[in-house]
Amino acid sequence: MRLKPYILISCLSLLSVFLLTQISCERDDICAPDTATTPLLVIAFISAETAEAEAPVELQIKGEGIDELLELGTALDTIRIPLRTNGTLSEFEFTVNSNVENDSIPANTDMVSFQYTTVEEYVSSACGFRATFEGLSATGENTTDTDTWINEIIVQSLNVKDETTTHVLIRH
């Protein structure tokens, strides 16, 4: 049996359209939940007296130039905060006794600055880019009075690539 030329051309056209659509398709453009994204800075608080994990009293944190406070939860001895990805410096006001309604215990604010180098890496078309941070260093100063509540800032990890380890210890 012999196919007529127009049937053969129609079949070849359909086959070429099918092949072109298969070549141009990519896998789903959905970023999987377990894909590594820009990590938060992990900070643990420890008592200067006992060297044990201890949450600061009524801690509030506010990023420099940002009106809203960071949402931390209550009585946490470990927190996660974002670093700026469009620069090499992130500054935060760490305030203790922020909600204490007692004039004998005033709020006390220390400014903490984190310096680093931002490194961008391509993850995928669905997830885009992620930033990691290298060469982390930190400094602190009191902004409200001469009584600093932060005794020491210890950088434990110079590179911030994930949220599985503590990057900074704050002794208070």
Side-chain angles (χ1 to χ4, degrees):
M1 179 172 163
R2 194 166 179 224
L3 292 174
K4 302 223 177 209
Y6 66 88
I7 294 176
L8 183 62
I9 292 171
S10 295
C11 288
L12 287 174
S13 296
L14 285 174
L15 181 62
S16 64
V17 167
F18 175 76
L19 288 175
L20 283 174
T21 59
Q22 292 302 311
I23 292 171
S24 65
C25 287
E26 294 182 23
R27 66 174 187 77
D28 290 342
D29 266 350
I30 298 172
C31 188
D34 61 341
T35 303
T37 57
T38 299
L40 299 174
L41 180 69
V42 179
I43 301 172
F45 296 96
I46 57 175
S47 168
E49 295 173 2
T50 64
E52 298 290 326
E54 182 180 304
V57 177
E58 296 290 336
L59 176 66
Q60 286 185 348
I61 299 178
K62 182 177 164 303
E64 186 68 21
I66 299 172
D67 292 334
E68 300 87 31
L69 296 170
L70 294 177
E71 294 293 326
L72 301 175
T74 58
L76 297 175
D77 60 16
T78 301
I79 61 169
R80 289 169 170 76
I81 61 173
L83 296 175
R84 293 182 186 271
T85 57
N86 61 350
T88 60
L89 175 71
S90 292
E91 295 182 307
F92 297 91
E93 293 177 354
F94 284 65
T95 303
V96 292
N97 302 322
S98 58
N99 291 326
V100 175
E101 297 195 18
N102 183 345
D103 291 336
S104 65
I105 306 173
N108 192 343
T109 301
D110 287 0
M111 178 70 76
V112 180
S113 299
F114 298 100
Q115 300 83 24
Y116 47 84
T117 300
T118 304
V119 178
E120 287 189 352
E121 57 186 50
Y122 180 73
V123 177
S124 69
S125 62
C127 301
F129 287 85
R130 82 179 204 128
T132 58
F133 310 98
E134 296 180 352
L136 180 68
S137 65
T139 57
E141 67 178 80
N142 186 279
T143 61
T144 54
D145 53 33
T146 59
D147 182 29
T148 60
W149 71 270
I150 295 176
N151 293 352
E152 184 179 15
I153 302 171
I154 304 163
V155 175
Q156 287 200 288
S157 177
L158 294 176
N159 299 323
V160 180
K161 295 187 181 284
D162 59 44
E163 296 175 25
T164 59
T165 60
T166 299
H167 305 112
V168 175
L169 289 176
I170 294 182
R171 293 171 45 99
H172 63 97

